[in-house]
Amino acid sequence: MTPSITLLGPQRRPTLDRVLSSLGVEGPVAVVNAGWQEREADDAEILALAGGERAGNLRLFGRWMDVLRADPEYAAAEREHRLVLDELQQLYLIRLDHALQAVSAVAARPDGHANTQAMALEDALAAVRLLDATHVARMQELHAAFYATWRPEERGSIAGHREEVRGLLAAAECLVVAGGHVGDLLRVLHLFHVSPHLPPRLVAWSAGAMALTPRVVLFHDRAAQGASLTEVFDAGLGVVPGVVVLPHARRRLLTDDHPRMSVLARRFAPASCLVLDDGVRVDLGAGGALPPDARLVGDDGRITEGAAA
């Protein structure tokens, strides 16, 4: 059964407790804060917000560390796999940089026939879309080959943790997924086979929301060293279809630069670019449908305004 999904803005000023109360969650709540990495055990506040004694941490990051200590052969293979993924990402970024420069150059031409320029811009964006799609497909191929070779479901160090996690999720009414390091979060969600065993309700924010989508997109126009490339990092779990999630959008994106934002929206179309700023709550409908008041980046580069929670 597909869970009922709620996506939240960053929880610097927490709304999680009020959201769970409004959803009528009264049973056990499973918490994933593996994106916090070594700080995963610093969970007193998030467990209190998630229901106190009713909430339990799945400890996915700690379980992952246990696996790596108990199974040196698998640990070495995983390190090599990560090096291969990192290299593929760097090669993708080299090609992406050139492709996005072409988009910018075409969009910035001061004169010329409007229809011709529009066609050229669409063709340049199509090249970027193809590059993104090919990159995700390559990443998925590498992941599939790794798991087919090392078969984690047959390794005792992993299988036992998977069974425990499955049992905890089966008993839970709701799963809460916090933010943090999206790469490690994705890794443990896959390793411990979380997505086939989701409880009836799912609440997530920041990197946790990003991990639920088909494509995890990294972005930062306001980095100290200058704007970074908006890149497809990896495939997500895909339980929130048709959406690219943009947490901290107003802090990280040049939202007043409408041509730049337009390129962002059109690049990832037909997926919707969903803005998750502070205070935002998005309750998805059947099949992951976005509500009418969801904040989206339009083709014109402007953010449609909806109601905040």
Side-chain angles (χ1 to χ4, degrees):
M1 182 179 70
T2 303
S4 171
I5 299 174
T6 298
L7 304 180
L8 303 178
Q11 293 294 288
R12 294 185 175 187
R13 296 181 178 178
T15 60
L16 175 62
D17 52 346
R18 299 197 301 273
V19 168
L20 293 179
S21 176
S22 72
L23 292 173
V25 175
E26 298 179 348
V29 177
V31 173
V32 172
N33 65 330
W36 298 3
Q37 301 172 308
E38 290 81 4
R39 296 187 301 106
E40 181 184 61
D42 185 14
D43 58 3
E45 182 181 15
I46 192 172
L47 291 181
L49 291 166
E53 294 182 357
R54 293 186 292 108
N57 194 333
L58 294 185
R59 292 185 52 254
L60 297 189
F61 186 86
R63 292 176 188 276
W64 179 36
M65 294 298 103
D66 290 345
V67 167
L68 299 183
R69 284 190 292 268
D71 193 340
E73 184 183 30
Y74 176 83
E78 189 186 81
R79 284 194 298 272
E80 178 62 27
H81 178 54
R82 288 161 63 187
L83 289 173
V84 172
L85 295 177
D86 288 346
E87 182 179 5
L88 182 64
Q89 192 74 18
Q90 292 305 311
L91 293 172
Y92 157 72
L93 288 174
I94 292 171
R95 294 175 292 149
L96 179 63
D97 189 13
H98 288 284
L100 289 176
Q101 285 185 40
V103 171
S104 297
V106 170
R109 278 178 61 92
D111 49 25
H113 197 283
N115 287 343
T116 302
Q117 187 158 340
M119 287 189 293
L121 179 58
E122 180 54 37
D123 290 345
L125 284 168
V128 177
R129 293 189 201 105
L130 177 60
L131 182 57
D132 290 339
T134 302
H135 178 60
V136 170
R138 294 295 190 201
M139 296 289 274
Q140 290 176 311
E141 288 173 12
L142 290 173
H143 289 311
F146 175 79
Y147 283 116
T149 300
W150 290 96
R151 303 188 68 81
E153 70 277 7
E154 297 177 3
R155 304 186 76 85
S157 61
I158 300 172
H161 283 297
R162 282 191 171 191
E163 187 61 31
E164 288 180 12
V165 169
R166 186 181 304 119
L168 292 169
L169 289 172
E173 180 183 348
C174 180
L175 174 64
V176 168
V177 186
H181 189 288
V182 71
D184 284 349
L185 178 58
L186 268 177
R187 188 171 293 112
V188 298
L189 289 172
H190 285 303
L191 180 62
F192 297 113
H193 213 218
V194 169
S195 61
H197 308 290
L198 295 174
R201 292 195 180 276
L202 178 55
V203 178
W205 63 89
S206 297
M210 297 168 78
L212 303 180
T213 63
R215 291 177 295 182
V216 174
V217 175
L218 305 183
F219 59 95
H220 207 324
D221 293 346
R222 301 178 185 271
Q225 67 274 22
S228 59
L229 295 177
T230 296
E231 61 184 280
V232 176
F233 174 71
D234 204 344
L237 300 186
V239 297
V240 178
V243 172
V244 170
V245 170
L246 305 174
H248 304 277
R250 294 194 182 278
R251 281 194 287 270
R252 295 189 175 187
L253 290 172
L254 298 174
T255 54
D256 292 333
D257 186 342
H258 297 146
R260 184 181 183 89
M261 295 292 288
S262 174
V263 167
L264 175 72
R266 294 172 63 188
R267 171 182 172 182
F268 294 113
S272 299
C273 288
L274 175 64
V275 172
L276 290 180
D277 278 324
D278 295 339
V280 171
R281 170 179 174 173
V282 179
D283 295 301
L284 301 181
L290 292 169
D293 63 354
R295 300 181 177 186
L296 307 177
V297 182
D299 285 351
D300 62 357
R302 299 177 186 275
I303 296 175
T304 60
E305 299 292 335

